[in-house]
Amino acid sequence: MARAAAGAVPSAGKAGVRIVVVGDRGTGKSSLICTAATDVFPANVPPVLPPTRLPEDFYPDRVPLTIIDTSSRVEDSGKLGEELRRADAVVLTYACDQPATLDRLSTFWLPELRRLEVKVPVIVVGCKLDLREEHQQISLDHVMTPIMQQFREIETCIECSAYKQIQIPEVFYYAQKAVLHPTGPLFDQETQTLKPRCVRALKRIFILCDQDRDGALSDAELNDFQVKCFNAPLQPSEIVGVKRVVQEKLSEGVNEHGLTLTGFLFLHALFIEKGRLETTWTVLRKFGYDNDIKLAENLIPSSFKKNPDQSVELTNEAIEYLRGIFELFDMDEDGALRPLEIEDLFSTAPECPWNEAPYKDAAEKTALEGLTLDGFLSQWALMTLLDPARTLENLIYIGYPGDPSSAIRVTKTRRYNRKKQQSDRNVFQCLVFGPKKAGKSALLNSFLGRPFSESCSSSTDERYAVNVVDQPGGVKKTLVLREIPEDGVKKMLVNKEALAACDIAVFVHDSSDESSWKRATELLVEVASHGEITGFEVPCLIVAAKDDLDPFPMAIQDSTRVSQDMGIEAPIPISTKLGDFSNIFRRIVNAAEHPHLSIPETEAGRSRKQYHRLVNRSLMFVSVGAAVAIVGLAAYRVYSARKNASS
C-alpha cells in the first residue's frame, strides 16, 4: 500500500508556490537561494536577489516555486511585511556559527511573524553549517524542540551549507512540501495522533473501499484502493508485508477478512510519523478532499436556481433514505438517536453539522437528549431550508447513493401558490414577531415539548424551532418557527426580500399588557406594509399569549377592531403555563397551506388599491371612448364615400 507510481501526486490544485526567505543580515539567505537555483556557490551576491523561479520539474510534485529574497534592514520592514503577507511558506534562517541569530528566532522573528498575522508554514533553516566550530556542535532536536513547542507554526527544521552543497535542495523541498502536503490538518504534534477531521475523512474512505461491507479491506479491495490512489497495483508479497507491519504493532489492525479500520488509520499515522505526508494527502485528494479536509466545493452542488419566494425541500427519495439511516444507527432500538449515535452517524463528516446555531437545540429531544425520527427529519428539513448545499454535503459524507442533487426539490413560488389558492410545500417557515416579554420564546419552547419556565430572558438573537405537525387525515407537515427579536425587525425589513421566504407570520403579545398589544399591532402594520410595497404579502395570525392572566381593559374590543379593519382572524388565545395552545401550530400550518387567505390589509394598502382601481377604470373609459370615436369616424367615411359615388 502507498507505493506511489512515477510522476506527480495531486498538489491541491496550486499553480505555483511562493516562498519568502527571511532572517538576520549575514545569515546566508541570498547564498542559499543562489546555490539552490544554480547548484553553484556564488562568489559574490547582491544584498537582495530579485525573485528566483525554480521550474516545475525541479521537484517531484511538478509545481513551480518562486523564491523571494528579503532585506532585514529596518527601513525595508514595510516591503518585508508586504512580501510575507503574500507568502505560501516562510524560510526563516539563522547562521550556525552565530548563536545570537538562533536566539533571535524566538525573541524577534517568530513573534514578528505573528504580529504581522502570517499564518503559513515556517521552515527554520540553519545556514553556514560548514563554519560551525567543533566545540559548538549541538543537537538540532535539543535546541529546536522548546522553540517548536512554543511556535506551532514551525513545520520542520534543517541545517545546511551552501558552500559545501549540504542539504540545499532539501530546504525548498520541505518548504514546498509544507504547502502542498501540510502536517497541521492531519497530525497533532503534541499528542502524536491523527487529528479528528483526518480520522473522519479516512474512515469515510475506508467505508467507500470496503465493497462487501465486512468491516475490513480484503486483498482485492486493498489492491483496488492502491490502483485508484497511486495508479499502480500491489504485488501479493507487498500486501502480505503491509499486513505484517500492522499486525506486529497492532494486533486488532488485521483480522481474518483483511485490514481493519483501526489498521488503516494506523498505517496513515505511520506514514505521517515517517514524514511521508504526501501519501496520506494523495489518498485524501483522490477522494475529493481539500486542504481543510472537507470535500472540494466543485463536488458539492451549490447553485440552486430559485426565486426569492421559492424554498428548497428534501425529496421523498431522500426522506426514505434518511429513515433507513435512522434505523441503522438506532443501535439500542429505542426509537431515538442519542448524542453518541448521532456522533457515530456523522463520524464520516468533518463534524456534526448540528452542533452550532441555528441547528443546535432547534428540534425536540427526548429526556435522554435523543432525537426521535420526527426530530431527526425535522433537523434535516431545517438545514435544507436554510442551507441546501450543507444538506447535500452531509448527505454525501454519510453515503447517500446516486446523484446528491436528486435529494432536493425547489418548490413553486408563493405568488403561484397564492394564485392557485393552495401550497405544494411540505415545510413551512413561520416568522414569529412580538415585543419583549410577549411570550415568543415560550411559544417556541412549547413547540419543542419543553416545560414552561417562569423565568424570562429576552433574546437578542434569532432562534429557530422545528417540528412535525400532524394534520387531519394523517398528513404530516414540517413547521419552522423563526423568532425575530423586537430590536431586529427594522434591520430585517431593510431588505426588500425579507418576507419572500416566509410562508406565514405570527404576532405574539401579552394579553394582560395593553402596551404589549399596541406594540404587536405596530409590528403587524410594519410587516404588512412591507409585504404590500414589495409584493411579498404574507398570511398573518395574532396570538394572545398568557391567557391565564386577566386581560387588559378593552382587550376584546381593540382586538376585534384591529382584526376586522385588517381583514384577518381574531387573536388566538394561548397559555403556555397551563398547556392550553388552542391547536395553534395546526392553525399556523393550515393558514400557510392557504396562502390567499389571512393576508392583512393596511389603510395605506387599501388606499393604494382604490387608487389603482380608479386609474384602471379611467383608462377603461378612455379606451371605450376612443373606440367609439374610431368606429364613428369609420362610419362617417363610409357614408361620405357612398354619397360621393351616388352623385
Side-chain angles (χ1 to χ4, degrees):
M1 178 178 162
R3 174 172 53 77
V9 296
S11 54
K14 289 191 76 70
V17 173
R18 188 180 183 86
I19 299 169
V20 176
V21 183
V22 300
D24 283 345
R25 183 179 180 183
T27 54
K29 300 188 293 293
S30 301
S31 296
L32 169 66
I33 297 169
C34 269
T35 307
T38 64
D39 278 338
V40 177
F41 179 75
N44 295 294
V45 290
V48 178
L49 293 170
T52 302
R53 193 173 188 275
L54 301 185
E56 66 175 30
D57 59 357
F58 203 87
Y59 292 118
D61 284 301
R62 300 191 64 80
V63 175
L65 266 67
T66 301
I67 306 172
I68 307 297
D69 194 9
T70 61
S71 166
S72 54
R73 297 188 309 171
V74 174
E75 54 266 38
D76 293 327
S77 59
K79 188 171 185 344
L80 174 65
E82 288 176 16
E83 293 292 1
L84 285 169
R85 289 186 187 94
R86 297 172 61 199
D88 293 315
V90 172
V91 166
L92 177 56
T93 63
Y94 67 93
C96 291
D97 63 331
Q98 301 173 44
T101 62
L102 176 61
D103 295 338
R104 289 252 303 162
L105 298 184
S106 52
T107 60
F108 174 74
W109 283 107
L110 289 162
E112 178 68 2
L113 293 178
R114 286 187 176 179
R115 187 187 70 78
L116 293 171
E117 298 184 349
V118 178
K119 297 178 180 178
V120 298
V122 176
I123 311 301
V124 172
V125 179
C127 299
K128 305 185 180 182
L129 180 61
D130 56 291
L131 297 181
R132 179 186 283 160
E133 299 290 342
E134 286 295 325
H135 67 273
Q136 289 181 319
Q137 296 300 328
I138 53 173
S139 163
L140 185 61
D141 285 347
H142 178 74
V143 172
M144 290 306 305
T145 297
I147 299 176
M148 291 181 74
Q149 286 176 345
Q150 184 181 355
F151 297 96
R152 295 287 177 187
E153 55 268 40
I154 299 175
E155 187 79 14
T156 192
C157 306
I158 184 173
E159 291 182 331
C160 67
S161 168
Y163 181 69
K164 290 198 172 181
Q165 301 277 323
I166 299 172
Q167 295 203 123
I168 296 300
E170 286 85 346
V171 169
F172 296 105
Y173 170 72
Y174 286 135
Q176 184 194 62
K177 187 176 175 182
V179 176
L180 302 181
H181 313 298
T183 305
L186 303 183
F187 200 69
D188 188 322
Q189 299 280 16
E190 193 168 335
T191 61
Q192 291 292 292
T193 56
L194 295 173
K195 285 192 172 177
R197 192 174 278 192
C198 178
V199 171
R200 288 167 172 264
L202 291 173
K203 179 178 178 180
R204 175 174 172 266
I205 291 168
F206 178 90
I207 291 170
L208 290 173
C209 294
D210 182 17
Q211 296 292 324
D212 56 11
R213 298 290 184 268
D214 65 351
L217 298 183
S218 65
D219 290 1
E221 289 167 340
L222 268 175
N223 198 55
D224 289 344
F225 166 81
Q226 174 75 15
V227 170
K228 177 179 174 65
C229 294
F230 303 101
N231 303 315
L234 283 171
Q235 298 302 316
S237 59
E238 292 176 308
I239 294 176
V240 170
V242 166
K243 292 195 288 189
R244 184 186 300 118
V245 167
V246 173
Q247 203 157 26
E248 285 174 356
K249 300 283 186 180
L250 200 70
S251 58
E252 64 269 31
V254 178
N255 64 20
E256 66 273 17
H257 301 295
L259 186 71
T260 65
L261 173 60
T262 306
F264 186 73
L265 296 174
F266 169 79
L267 269 180
H268 283 280
L270 194 62
F271 294 144
I272 293 167
E273 284 177 21
K274 290 182 179 294
R276 291 171 55 190
L277 289 96
E278 63 275 12
T279 300
T280 299
W281 275 117
T282 299
V283 170
L284 290 169
R285 287 174 182 144
K286 280 290 185 179
F287 281 87
Y289 287 89
D290 60 17
N291 269 15
D292 295 322
I293 317 190
K294 298 181 76 173
L295 286 176
E297 290 181 3
N298 64 316
L299 297 178
I300 302 162
S302 56
S303 58
F304 306 96
K305 290 183 180 178
K306 69 182 187 72
N307 293 318
D309 60 342
Q310 289 180 288
S311 61
V312 182
E313 299 179 358
L314 290 167
T315 60
N316 290 333
E317 179 187 355
I319 291 171
E320 285 307 308
Y321 171 76
L322 290 171
R323 285 180 189 276
I325 286 291
F326 180 91
E327 291 175 8
L328 180 66
F329 283 88
D330 182 16
M331 304 300 290
D332 53 9
E333 299 183 350
D334 63 347
L337 293 184
R338 299 189 189 185
L340 282 176
E341 291 169 329
I342 291 283
E343 181 59 33
D344 190 27
L345 190 160
F346 287 111
S347 64
T348 52
E351 51 268 320
C352 175
W354 303 334
N355 285 342
E356 296 177 357
Y359 310 106
K360 185 178 173 64
D361 297 326
E364 183 174 6
K365 293 182 179 178
T366 66
L368 296 174
E369 291 294 299
L371 281 175
T372 63
L373 177 59
D374 280 349
F376 178 70
L377 294 177
S378 294
Q379 284 279 46
W380 281 99
L382 176 62
M383 187 160 65
T384 307
L385 180 73
L386 301 182
D387 193 348
R390 188 183 179 97
T391 286
L392 295 183
E393 181 181 8
N394 280 281
L395 282 172
I396 294 170
Y397 284 131
I398 67 172
Y400 185 78
D403 180 7
S405 59
S406 68
I408 59 172
R409 74 179 189 98
V410 177
T411 64
K412 303 283 189 189
T413 64
R414 283 206 302 112
R415 200 170 305 220
Y416 175 87
N417 288 338
R418 201 164 66 211
K419 193 179 292 184
K420 291 292 183 181
Q421 300 188 359
Q422 62 181 13
S423 177
D424 70 327
R425 302 185 179 187
N426 296 309
V427 180
F428 295 104
Q429 181 173 188
C430 171
L431 302 186
V432 181
F433 296 96
K436 294 181 180 71
K437 299 183 179 180
K440 301 188 298 295
S441 295
L443 179 68
L444 267 71
N445 286 337
S446 65
F447 186 46
L448 300 178
R450 294 173 189 166
F452 173 78
S453 172
E454 291 283 0
S455 61
C456 172
S457 58
S458 294
S459 174
T460 57
D461 298 319
E462 288 192 3
R463 178 190 159 204
Y464 288 85
V466 59
N467 212 338
V468 170
V469 177
D470 293 316
Q471 294 291 90
V475 176
K476 289 178 180 284
K477 297 288 183 179
T478 302
L479 177 61
V480 174
L481 299 183
R482 176 184 168 195
E483 180 182 349
I484 309 296
E486 182 187 0
D487 297 338
V489 176
K490 264 197 173 62
K491 183 180 178 183
M492 174 189 175
L493 296 182
V494 169
N495 181 2
K496 181 185 175 183
E497 298 172 352
L499 301 176
C502 170
D503 294 292
I504 183 167
V506 164
F507 297 83
V508 183
H509 70 279
D510 178 348
S511 60
S512 69
D513 183 349
E514 187 173 5
S515 62
S516 180
W517 159 251
K518 286 182 177 177
R519 181 60 185 137
T521 56
E522 288 171 4
L523 291 171
L524 171 59
V525 171
E526 285 179 38
V527 171
S529 298
H530 187 278
E532 289 170 340
I533 293 167
T534 61
F536 295 119
E537 294 102 322
V538 58
C540 295
L541 295 176
I542 303 174
V543 174
K546 306 183 183 181
D547 192 44
D548 49 287
L549 302 177
D550 293 331
F552 68 87
M554 303 293 290
I556 296 175
Q557 294 91 325
D558 282 1
S559 61
T560 302
R561 176 181 53 79
V562 169
S563 55
Q564 286 180 347
D565 285 351
M566 300 193 77
I568 60 175
E569 190 178 339
I572 302 167
I574 68 166
S575 170
T576 53
K577 183 176 183 178
L578 300 178
D580 181 5
F581 299 110
S582 304
N583 282 326
I584 181 65
F585 305 116
R586 185 177 286 183
R587 291 167 81 164
I588 290 173
V589 170
N590 186 56
E593 286 183 309
H594 300 87
H596 61 298
L597 303 176
S598 304
I599 295 178
E601 189 175 45
T602 65
E603 196 171 324
R606 199 176 297 116
S607 298
R608 269 193 298 271
K609 280 185 181 177
Q610 288 173 349
Y611 172 75
H612 288 308
R613 277 195 214 102
L614 184 62
V615 169
N616 290 336
R617 194 175 295 129
S618 300
L619 289 173
M620 185 181 71
F621 287 146
V622 169
S623 299
V624 171
V628 169
I630 291 168
V631 171
L633 180 61
Y636 174 75
R637 283 177 176 170
V638 171
Y639 171 75
S640 296
R642 286 178 178 173
K643 186 176 180 182
N644 291 335
S646 61
S647 59

